[in-house]
Coordinates of all heavy atoms in Angstrom, one line a residue:
T91 N 84.0 141.9 100.5 CA 83.5 143.0 99.7 C 84.7 143.9 99.3 O 84.6 144.6 98.3 CB 82.4 143.8 100.3 OG1 82.9 144.6 101.4 CG2 81.3 142.9 100.9
F100 N 83.8 144.6 111.1 CA 82.4 144.4 111.0 C 82.0 143.1 111.8 O 82.8 142.1 111.7 CB 81.9 144.3 109.5 CG 80.4 144.2 109.4 CD1 79.6 145.3 109.5 CD2 79.8 142.9 109.2 CE1 78.2 145.2 109.4 CE2 78.4 142.9 109.1 CZ 77.6 144.0 109.2
R139 N 76.6 151.7 106.2 CA 77.2 151.3 105.0 C 78.3 152.3 104.6 O 78.0 153.5 104.4 CB 76.2 151.3 103.8 CG 76.8 150.8 102.5 CD 75.7 150.6 101.4 NE 75.0 151.9 101.1 CZ 75.4 152.7 100.2 NH1 76.5 152.5 99.5 NH2 74.7 153.8 99.9
M143 N 81.2 150.9 99.6 CA 80.5 149.6 99.5 C 79.2 149.7 98.9 O 78.4 150.6 99.2 CB 80.4 149.0 101.0 CG 79.9 147.6 101.0 SD 79.8 146.9 102.7 CE 81.5 146.9 103.2
S144 N 78.8 148.8 98.0 CA 77.5 148.8 97.4 C 76.4 148.4 98.3 O 76.7 147.6 99.3 CB 77.6 147.9 96.1 OG 77.6 146.6 96.5
P145 N 75.2 148.8 98.1 CA 74.1 148.4 98.9 C 73.9 146.9 98.9 O 73.6 146.3 100.0 CB 72.9 149.0 98.3 CG 73.4 150.3 97.6 CD 74.8 149.9 97.1
V146 N 74.2 146.2 97.8 CA 74.1 144.8 97.7 C 75.1 144.1 98.7 O 74.8 143.2 99.4 CB 74.3 144.3 96.3 CG1 74.3 142.7 96.3 CG2 73.2 144.8 95.4
D147 N 76.4 144.6 98.6 CA 77.4 144.0 99.5 C 77.1 144.3 101.0 O 77.3 143.4 101.8 CB 78.8 144.6 99.1 CG 79.3 144.0 97.8 OD1 78.8 143.0 97.4 OD2 80.3 144.6 97.3
W148 N 76.6 145.4 101.3 CA 76.2 145.8 102.6 C 75.1 144.9 103.2 O 75.2 144.4 104.3 CB 75.8 147.3 102.7 CG 75.4 147.7 104.1 CD1 74.1 148.1 104.5 CD2 76.2 147.8 105.3 NE1 74.1 148.5 105.8 CE2 75.4 148.3 106.3 CE3 77.5 147.5 105.5 CZ2 75.8 148.5 107.6 CZ3 78.0 147.7 106.8 CH2 77.2 148.2 107.8
Q149 N 74.2 144.6 102.3 CA 73.1 143.7 102.7 C 73.6 142.3 103.0 O 73.2 141.6 103.9 CB 72.0 143.7 101.7 CG 70.8 142.8 102.0 CD 69.7 142.8 100.9 OE1 70.0 143.2 99.8 NE2 68.5 142.4 101.3
A150 N 74.5 141.9 102.1 CA 75.1 140.5 102.2 C 75.9 140.4 103.5 O 75.8 139.4 104.2 CB 76.0 140.2 101.0
L151 N 76.6 141.4 103.9 CA 77.4 141.4 105.2 C 76.4 141.2 106.4 O 76.6 140.5 107.3 CB 78.2 142.6 105.4 CG 79.5 142.7 104.6 CD1 80.3 143.9 105.0 CD2 80.4 141.4 104.7
N152 N 75.3 142.0 106.3 CA 74.4 142.0 107.4 C 73.6 140.7 107.5 O 73.0 140.4 108.6 CB 73.4 143.2 107.3 CG 74.0 144.5 107.8 OD1 74.0 144.8 109.0 ND2 74.6 145.3 106.9
Q153 N 73.6 140.0 106.5 CA 72.8 138.7 106.5 C 73.7 137.5 107.0 O 73.2 136.4 107.2 CB 72.3 138.4 105.1 CG 71.1 139.3 104.6 CD 70.7 139.0 103.2 OE1 71.4 138.4 102.4 NE2 69.5 139.5 102.9
R154 N 75.0 137.8 107.2 CA 75.8 136.7 107.7 C 75.5 136.4 109.1 O 75.1 137.3 109.9 CB 77.3 137.1 107.6 CG 77.8 137.2 106.1 CD 79.2 137.8 106.1 NE 80.2 136.9 106.6 CZ 81.0 136.2 105.9 NH1 80.9 136.2 104.5 NH2 81.9 135.4 106.4

Side-chain angles (χ1 to χ4, degrees):
T91 73
F100 185 79
R139 181 173 65 87
M143 187 180 296
S144 71
V146 174
D147 285 343
W148 177 245
Q149 183 180 16
L151 284 187
N152 280 277
Q153 290 177 342
R154 292 170 70 98

